[in-house]
Amino acid sequence: MKRSRQLLSITIIFFWASEYCHMPYFTPYLQTLGFAASLIGIMTGMYGFTQMLVRIPLGIVTDVTGCYKKTILMGTVFTTVSSFGLIFATHFVTIIICRILAGIAASSWLAFTILYAAYYQAEESVQAVTNVNAFNSAGKLLAFILGLVTASLWGYRIPLVCSFLTGVAAIICAVQLKPITLKREPFQVSHVIAVFSNPAVLCASFFAIIMQAFLQGTVFSFTSTVAKELGASAFEIGFNTVLFTLVQILAAGFIGKKVLKLLNTSQAVTLGFFAMAFSCLLVAYGKNMYFLYAAQIIGGVSNLMANSVLMSMIIRFVPQENQSTAMGLFQALYGIGMTLGPVMTGQIAGAAGYGTAYLVMGAMTFIAALLAPIMLKNMNR
């Protein structure tokens, strides 16, 4: 059991490294290919749009079959193929196809999450999710370090090669995972109906949509473009993105063991979204890279706190045999935010500038913070 957990942890790290090695440089790279901000937004948003379509059926199939290892292996293969294709893709259609493959790969994350949480008792769900998010962040940190070094030395395309190589490493690890049988009841259609009407799943999904719109529309896309317009070097762009993930790794233990035990569900989500809104203001009005550095640190901590609580709601309030379906619904719905976030930021930035786009995103996260105490008050019972 211990070896399987360690192997799964390593697989998670390489998997997310493959998905994110090129991410900080993807929008600047697309700019060098001559694409406008509106088209870049569409190509970036396709990643989330694909997940929105794929995650629910994938979750149901995973629940029916219990084939967590096969779903994980599929994800590692698809992210590797996507990265390899992007190394050579220069046309809109081929880039869209590669982004679709990356979105399908990311959809397999539900299997990683459920399998890892199965190693813990139900009452330890928040800690389990905090840990799995820490490995997620460790993979992204590895990705951003590799991207930072290679982009600084050889340009924006080379991080795509790093994505491919870490994808190969993820495949090697995933092949060695031993299938684990979870206690489950026979699957029934009523299970799906119960999941789709579960208030905990629906409330968590609503806030996750807004959170992912924030992440994909700012941190993992256009914040790099804002940094470039401020005159940042490839190294500074990479370092700026590393800060977001590094602070999540450093804060994971403290947030999971201390902060989230002092705050109830609604308080944690409220505080997280207020901090996200503030980080948007820092980017909107920032005149140098120090403002962006501060925004990344604040955004990283707030995302870790809010995301851990929202994901743990799926584990705590849904029976084990339905958790993949519930996580699939949760992640499919937040795919709406992953799709609309970069598209919205790209459209507003093209019409009124990046400052206005970030102010709109900040207003959206601020409204979510105001809604959290109202919508999540019953989740503490």
Side-chain angles (χ1 to χ4, degrees):
M1 180 73 74
K2 183 177 180 181
R3 183 180 182 280
S4 295
R5 184 190 301 182
Q6 292 173 340
L7 190 58
L8 180 57
S9 301
I10 296 171
T11 306
I12 290 171
I13 291 173
F14 281 126
F15 172 77
W16 285 112
S18 179
E19 289 277 278
Y20 277 84
C21 272
H22 60 282
M23 192 65 74
Y25 310 97
F26 193 55
T27 55
Y29 172 64
L30 293 177
Q31 281 186 319
T32 65
L33 295 180
F35 292 106
S38 57
L39 288 179
I40 292 174
I42 293 172
M43 287 183 281
T44 307
M46 186 57 63
Y47 177 73
F49 179 74
T50 303
Q51 295 175 57
M52 183 174 62
L53 297 180
V54 171
R55 274 180 154 148
I56 293 176
L58 183 60
I60 294 174
V61 170
T62 305
D63 270 335
V64 171
T65 62
C67 295
Y68 297 96
K69 176 182 175 178
K70 290 182 179 178
T71 301
I72 290 170
L73 184 58
M74 178 205 72
T76 60
V77 170
F78 274 56
T79 186
T80 305
V81 173
S82 169
S83 303
F84 183 77
L86 284 174
I87 295 173
F88 306 102
T90 56
H91 298 288
F92 179 78
V93 174
T94 51
I95 292 173
I96 286 290
I97 292 172
C98 291
R99 295 295 289 167
I100 289 173
L101 292 176
I104 296 174
S107 299
S108 70
W109 177 234
L110 59 91
F112 288 88
T113 307
I114 300 302
L115 189 59
Y116 189 87
Y119 292 124
Y120 291 81
Q121 300 298 319
E123 61 272 14
E124 299 176 305
S125 60
V126 173
Q127 183 61 53
V129 172
T130 302
N131 289 347
V132 79
N133 283 335
F135 289 120
N136 177 313
S137 298
K140 292 175 182 175
L141 178 62
L142 172 62
F144 297 149
I145 291 174
L146 290 173
L148 185 154
V149 173
T150 56
S152 299
L153 294 175
W154 299 296
Y156 293 147
R157 176 177 286 184
I158 304 304
L160 290 166
V161 178
C162 295
S163 288
F164 168 70
L165 295 176
T166 50
V168 172
I171 293 174
I172 294 172
C173 292
V175 168
Q176 300 179 65
L177 288 173
K178 291 184 178 180
I180 296 178
T181 302
L182 302 180
K183 296 180 180 179
R184 57 194 305 110
E185 296 179 3
F187 181 81
Q188 302 175 18
V189 175
S190 60
H191 292 172
V192 178
I193 298 174
V195 166
F196 277 60
S197 59
N198 188 309
V201 176
L202 297 178
C203 283
S205 299
F206 171 79
F207 289 101
I209 289 171
I210 300 174
M211 182 179 65
Q212 288 296 331
F214 161 76
L215 287 175
Q216 300 299 326
T218 61
V219 175
F220 295 133
S221 57
F222 289 102
T223 297
S224 295
T225 305
V226 173
K228 184 181 178 183
E229 291 193 348
L230 288 175
S233 64
F235 179 87
E236 289 173 318
I237 292 174
F239 178 72
N240 186 54
T241 310
V242 163
L243 275 178
F244 180 88
T245 306
L246 179 61
V247 73
Q248 290 189 325
I249 296 173
L250 296 177
F254 179 72
I255 294 294
K257 296 178 181 178
K258 301 292 183 180
V259 176
L260 293 181
K261 289 187 177 180
L262 297 175
L263 303 175
N264 60 38
T265 299
S266 62
Q267 290 171 338
V269 175
T270 299
L271 181 59
F273 276 98
F274 272 134
M276 290 179 211
F278 182 62
S279 72
C280 289
L281 291 180
L282 288 175
V283 178
Y285 291 108
K287 302 300 182 183
N288 55 55
M289 286 300 298
Y290 293 108
F291 285 85
L292 268 63
Y293 294 154
Q296 294 292 81
I297 292 171
I298 294 170
V301 174
S302 61
N303 171 248
L304 173 67
M305 183 163 56
N307 192 42
S308 296
V309 172
L310 294 175
M311 288 180 65
S312 70
M313 288 170 62
I314 308 299
I315 307 297
R316 289 165 58 197
F317 301 121
V318 177
Q320 191 175 68
E321 62 270 13
N322 299 337
Q323 286 179 358
S324 288
T325 301
M327 194 64 73
L329 174 62
F330 172 72
Q331 295 178 355
L333 289 176
Y334 77 49
I336 297 172
M338 298 178 75
T339 304
L340 294 181
V343 172
M344 183 175 68
T345 303
Q347 295 293 331
I348 297 174
Y354 288 107
T356 302
Y358 275 73
L359 288 177
V360 172
M361 194 64 68
M364 187 170 66
T365 51
F366 182 79
I367 293 172
L370 298 179
L371 290 175
I374 301 171
M375 297 180 64
L376 298 176
K377 61 180 179 181
N378 293 326
M379 293 300 109
N380 303 312
R381 299 180 183 176

